[in-house]
Amino acid sequence: FLYFPETHGITFRIQINVKEVLDKDILLKLLFHLPVNYPSTLPEISVNSDQLTRAQCVDVKDKLLEQAKKHLSEPMVHELVLWIQQYLKYVIKQPATVCNEKTTLSKGASTEDAVWMLLLHLDHMRAKAKYVKTVEKWASDLRLTGRLMFMGKIILILLQGDRSNIKEYLILQKTSKVDVDSSGKKCKEKMISILCETKVQSQHKRFQMFEVKEYSTLDELQKEFEAAGLATLFSEFVPPLLK
């Protein structure tokens, strides 16, 4: 960790080891230039690594800048370093050679190419209208289908789509200021539970769109799951939420 004071701001150089998706240590060399009016102005970011391609380094830099925009007007370097340590494996794209080594089945049957499903439980929504609109936009941008379901105090998000897009959704859900706290200040979602993440099976119905639906009774919610071939998923994860 080094810093270089400059007339027009400060430059930080930070080196971190990150455990990547194949359990390899990736040494990231991050350069942050903080202008004099930081944090009201975004930092300039440079990313280098001997273990990543130049294109992958650009992907990391672009994602860090996207995250930086969410922290505008507040100190962000520490948050950005923590974020990339946690989410690097979802940000970088696998080299073609690695994909070929992993894929012994046909492309259509491989894990990464299969359609995946995610079931999330949210504890609450204080700014419901804004929150719902944000979830709808994320699902649309990432080409995910499914349901945002309300039944009494139960709030569930059921998503289907490419596994990489579902991972990207999780990143957005966990790192964006999507709700407000008890004082009305924007805040991140800290009370979210991943109930289930699995590959869509032949008995599961594919949702054609993403819809927001409200149910008056648990029976109505159960019928929604059953119609989608997800009766087992419902019985395993939903009733315990009522206890």
Side-chain angles (χ1 to χ4, degrees):
F1 180 94
L2 303 169
Y3 77 95
F4 307 97
E6 297 180 1
T7 306
H8 301 291
I10 295 176
T11 297
F12 287 87
R13 179 178 295 158
I14 302 174
Q15 293 190 169
I16 54 172
N17 273 307
V18 183
K19 189 73 71 176
E20 199 257 344
V21 68
L22 296 180
D23 291 328
K24 296 185 300 182
D25 281 326
I26 300 294
L27 179 63
L28 283 183
K29 302 171 185 178
L30 308 174
L31 195 68
F32 295 88
H33 175 71
L34 312 184
V36 289
N37 51 351
Y38 167 87
S40 297
T41 300
L42 292 176
E44 296 177 13
I45 302 175
S46 176
V47 178
N48 285 287
S49 175
D50 293 336
Q51 290 100 337
L52 300 180
T53 66
R54 186 61 205 152
Q56 288 173 324
C57 288
V58 171
D59 285 340
V60 173
K61 183 190 77 170
D62 290 345
K63 289 298 182 183
L64 283 171
L65 287 172
E66 287 180 18
Q67 291 301 309
K69 292 176 183 177
K70 300 174 184 178
H71 296 281
L72 197 59
S73 299
E74 61 186 56
M76 67 184 76
V77 172
H78 185 243
E79 286 283 340
L80 295 177
V81 171
L82 291 179
W83 185 89
I84 200 60
Q85 284 180 308
Q86 185 173 1
Y87 293 106
L88 176 67
K89 59 186 176 182
Y90 303 134
V91 171
I92 64 174
K93 297 174 182 177
Q94 290 295 308
T97 53
V98 174
C99 291
N100 290 337
E101 289 170 2
K102 289 173 63 181
T103 307
T104 55
L105 301 174
S106 66
K107 181 177 180 181
S110 72
T111 299
E112 291 302 317
D113 291 320
V115 177
W116 278 73
M117 180 167 56
L118 177 71
L119 181 62
L120 301 173
H121 172 239
L122 301 182
D123 185 74
H124 62 270
M125 284 185 183
R126 286 194 174 93
K128 182 176 178 180
K130 176 181 177 296
Y131 205 133
V132 169
K133 186 176 181 181
T134 300
V135 170
E136 287 180 312
K137 183 180 186 304
W138 288 343
S140 175
D141 290 346
L142 295 169
R143 299 184 299 280
L144 299 174
T145 61
R147 299 284 187 268
L148 170 53
M149 300 175 281
F150 296 91
M151 199 290 295
K153 293 184 178 181
I154 293 179
I155 306 172
L156 299 171
I157 301 177
L158 181 62
L159 299 170
Q160 292 179 347
D162 293 344
R163 194 178 190 188
S164 60
N165 289 348
I166 283 180
K167 294 295 186 184
E168 179 69 18
Y169 178 92
L170 275 175
I171 293 173
L172 291 170
Q173 182 77 66
K174 292 179 178 179
T175 61
S176 302
K177 292 185 176 180
V178 68
D179 205 1
V180 297
D181 59 22
S182 56
S183 64
K185 184 180 179 181
K186 291 181 180 179
C187 66
K188 297 175 185 177
E189 178 58 72
K190 296 181 179 180
M191 301 185 71
I192 185 172
S193 302
I194 299 175
L195 300 180
C196 179
E197 183 179 3
T198 184
K199 186 163 62 173
V200 171
Q201 305 298 324
S202 58
Q203 71 269 26
H204 299 153
K205 172 189 171 184
R206 288 291 306 278
F207 293 107
Q208 298 304 308
M209 63 184 69
F210 184 82
E211 296 181 86
V212 180
K213 303 187 74 171
E214 303 211 15
Y215 308 86
S216 302
T217 66
L218 189 64
D219 185 56
E220 287 183 9
L221 182 59
Q222 182 174 356
K223 287 179 179 177
E224 178 79 68
F225 275 79
E226 290 175 348
L230 301 172
T232 302
L233 190 72
F234 175 88
S235 60
E236 183 175 353
F237 296 106
V238 180
L241 299 176
L242 296 171
K243 297 178 181 178

